[in-house]
Amino acid sequence: MDVYEAIARRRDVRAEFTGKVIDREMLLRILAAAHHAPSVGHSAPWDFVVIQDPATLERMAEHVRVKRREFADSLPPDRAATFDPIKIEGIRESGTGVVVTYDHSRGGEHVLGRHTIADTGLMSVALAIQNLWLAGVAEGVGVGWVSFYDESVLADIAGLPDGVRPIAWLCVGEVSEFAEVPDLERFGWRGRRPLEDSVHWGTYRAEG
Ligand SMILES: Cc1cc2nc3c(=O)[nH]c(=O)nc-3n(C[C@H](O)[C@H](O)[C@H](O)COP(=O)(O)O)c2cc1C
């Protein structure tokens, strides 16, 4: 599979997990792809906490359920109705959660390239996640990013030391298929912004 095909087929997976837990060798290949991401100052500020214990998955799913309800309650009635059928996680069904973390102290005091933009460490973690996501597609493994959580709760669930921040809970598991259309488009939450609206030639304000 070439990289364009993997990018086109990638989906945020919530409903298509088969329930079969990913085998360790395959998971390690995907994590190796994540670990090969570029990072500011070559600092590799990420770590991956693999969680497969059913009771821990259940605890996370319950917390996310509460956060989902909070979000639903914050919506005006028409958006709440659109949101209602949308599944926002596959924590139990995937069988594996990968908590991706960020350690700002990684690389020491003088991280090359971070002295003007503190966020470059976080940006590096996002690239590792994207590598993981695309490697998953190449392996036929689905990934779903869950962000409906309080960071302090997830830090506790994953046993993170002080100063290490959880950036994502990724549901990782075998899938029956990759949907062609993102769920949020399919359920009418939001469509894809056209490329021509996102590309600016010369300056941000320039037309066309
Ligand atoms: C930072 C980030 C956080 C996300 N959080 C959630 C989430 O909590 N639950 C969810 O169902 N999808 C989540 N998503 C997935 C997006 O909804 C999804 O990427 C988007 O709708 C486009 O669909 P696609 O990834 O299938 O192309 C998240 C994606 C990103 C990048």
Side-chain angles (χ1 to χ4, degrees):
M1 185 182 295
D2 74 24
V3 72
Y4 282 100
E5 190 185 346
I7 288 168
R9 291 193 62 201
R10 186 206 55 78
R11 275 283 73 77
D12 185 80
V13 175
R14 308 157 172 93
E16 291 83 12
F17 292 111
T18 63
K20 183 173 178 288
V21 175
I22 184 173
D23 87 43
R24 187 174 283 235
E25 291 305 311
M26 194 184 274
L27 179 58
L28 282 170
R29 281 200 296 278
I30 294 171
L31 293 175
H35 192 60
H36 272 79
S39 63
V40 65
H42 210 27
S43 57
W46 48 72
D47 286 277
F48 310 103
V49 182
V50 178
I51 299 178
Q52 295 178 314
D53 168 45
T56 311
L57 297 178
E58 186 60 43
R59 184 179 165 205
M60 180 63 181
E62 178 52 29
H63 174 62
V64 168
R65 201 176 61 76
V66 171
K67 293 289 135 183
R68 183 189 198 285
R69 196 183 326 114
E70 273 178 24
F71 179 64
D73 289 347
S74 75
L75 295 170
D78 59 326
R79 292 305 269 164
T82 306
F83 180 61
D84 188 53
I86 298 177
K87 188 168 161 59
I88 54 109
E89 53 86 12
I91 294 168
R92 296 182 199 82
E93 307 91 299
S94 63
T96 299
V98 175
V99 180
V100 186
T101 64
Y102 171 55
D103 182 352
H104 192 74
S105 70
R106 183 79 46 78
E109 216 181 306
H110 305 289
V111 175
L112 187 155
R114 207 184 64 190
H115 67 299
T116 49
I117 304 169
D119 286 345
T120 46
L122 274 176
M123 295 168 188
S124 306
V125 176
L127 292 172
I129 294 170
Q130 180 74 339
N131 269 15
L132 186 158
W133 218 333
L134 292 175
V137 176
E139 298 274 5
V141 167
V143 174
W145 186 324
V146 183
S147 55
F148 282 60
Y149 57 76
D150 289 337
E151 288 194 18
S152 59
V153 172
L154 182 50
D156 185 45
I157 288 174
L160 305 186
D162 285 350
V164 174
R165 188 176 165 195
I167 304 305
W169 175 290
L170 303 178
C171 304
V172 178
E174 186 189 84
V175 285
S176 52
E177 58 167 351
F178 290 100
E180 280 189 20
V181 179
D183 275 12
L184 297 197
E185 287 188 35
R186 202 158 56 84
F187 285 97
W189 180 262
R190 187 180 301 283
R192 187 181 298 283
R193 189 168 186 242
L195 174 65
E196 52 273 28
D197 291 359
S198 296
V199 177
H200 310 263
W201 304 92
T203 73
Y204 190 92
R205 290 189 183 82
E207 295 287 318

